[in-house]
Amino acid sequence: MKCQHCEKPATFHITELTDEVPEELHLCEEHARTYLMQADLKEDEVPSIASALAQQLKVNPAAEQLAQLDQQACPLCGITFYEFRHVGRLGCPHDYICFEDELDPIISNIHSATAHVGKQPRGAGEGTDQRTELIRLRREMEQAIQIEDYEKASMLRDKIAGIEEEEKSG
Amino acid sequence: MFLDELAGKGGEWLKGTGPESDIVISSRIRLARNLAEFPFVRKCSDGDKLAIEARVSEVINQQSKWSDPVSYHRIDEMNDLDRQFLVERQLISRELAESNGARSVLIDSGEKFSVMINEEDHLRIQAVQSGLDLTEAWHRINAIDDFVDSCLHYAFHPRYGYLTACPTNVGTGMRVSVMLHLPALVMTRELEKVFRSLQKINLAVRGLYGEGSEAMGDFYQISNQITLGKSEIELVQQVNEVIPVMIEYERKARDFLLRESRDELSDRVSRAHGILQNAKTISSEETMHLLSSIRLGVNMGLIEVDIPMLNRLFLQTQPAHLQKMIGGKLDIADRNVQRAQYLKKSFNISDN
Ligand SMILES: [Zn+2]
Ligand SMILES: [Zn+2]
């Protein structure tokens, strides 16, 4: 894909989340930098993923690093950081843990805060980590079915059922 | 059927009662929640969506758990007209109507709350009160959230709070909004100035949109922009604090109009009334615009029209509502004719 403003390949895919309908931008590195800096400078602008990323670029100006970061994937749901940047939506609860270093400055920029105050679910969410593990198991089971490894699939199914049962009683 | 019964009614958010209801239409709070053991909806397989729908409906789709009658609808098994109808009533979002896979909504018969399953997040709970009453909306939604939490495992992070598909909702997952009718601020062109000052304190302002992208009758929604780092009570307070200021601005603009241009204003209101009573064909956009002028005229003592009826017409003249009341699908041209007839009838009944 080409940059929207020149002939160079678009290596940055930015989703603006300021409106109801997200706007997608495809830009080369140079135009991305210009765009992000502008977005960041606009006063009164509501926080957006783009301006948050601009903050990050300032701290960490190496584009190669961002390209490398884009390849990183969540071990549970499989979403890459590139995909998140592209659509502006995360793939699963575990992404907040596996992309924490990258997300933290973005979150801090959007909310001007990094810690939740207020309501907590019962047990203060203890066990979220164990439960997100089910996302991986279900994904592995589907993959096993796809390659017709039914033995593995049935083993995974039993394991999933076991965890789900435990939960119901717990 | 339940939806057909609703078509004849006004809906909680347009009831036109409650504190400051000449300017404040409704107060609304929504919570975004996700189950820990599934991917966020966009990354769900069809099977995941079915499993989430089954798991959540098992908990919420039980009449015995609710004090008022509720109804449960599978959006993926519904026709387009019914979906659009629920969007017009603000019981579901456009996103839920237009996405795909297993998804549903639980609706309270008084339309004071609804729970969407498999929208952008696994659960989107919303509570609505007529007029300015965010505190009541918060008590209601908090109780619903506690009930769901007692049966399911929410995704929660000790530092980031409730985990959501979009980082802009993380933390409380809460959006507090108040819908206002601001026709005088629109007429005096002061609206933008007021809105810019709100953005400085992290509040967002949005026009209310009907079919397509046309702004709907001078209705504006003010809501919190950030969701992390402030408690639910603080978020309610933050919005609550600016509403009296907005009401004051709108009242000042109305006084100004009365003082400086009473005749023009009165003329505008009467013309709006005349068109709505006599038009042979009329678009929903023009209808909203004219209804808005009449609503302002009533609240300023320039004309006498029943306010609950006006509020109802804002809703019933929208495309899906009109078609459900007529009892079938209509193209745009036919809708515009039917809308004109419906308006004529409504205004003539109210004049007698
Ligand atoms: Zn370029
Ligand atoms: Zn993930």
Side-chain angles (χ1 to χ4, degrees), chain A residues 74 76-79 91-95 98:
Chain A
C74 166
L76 304 195
C77 72
I79 196 173
C92 82
H94 186 69
D95 301 356
C98 69

Side-chain angles (χ1 to χ4, degrees), chain A residues 83 104 116 119 122 138, chain B residues 37 42 142 145 149 160:
Chain A
E83 188 181 344
D104 206 63
H116 171 60
K119 197 175 174 176
R122 80 191 146 102
R138 286 201 201 91
Chain B
E37 57 187 90
R42 217 190 58 84
N142 192 26
D145 185 49
D149 178 44
Y160 293 132

Side-chain angles (χ1 to χ4, degrees), chain A residues 37-77:
Chain A
M37 294 311 169
Q38 275 171 352
D40 191 37
L41 283 175
K42 263 186 243 161
E43 228 202 317
D44 296 340
E45 212 185 52
V46 284
S48 68
I49 301 275
S51 61
L53 277 167
Q55 290 286 346
Q56 217 188 349
L57 275 180
K58 269 192 229 159
V59 185
N60 177 15
E64 312 88 71
Q65 256 173 292
L66 194 58
Q68 216 170 23
L69 176 62
D70 273 349
Q71 313 271 313
Q72 276 183 45
C74 166
L76 304 195
C77 72

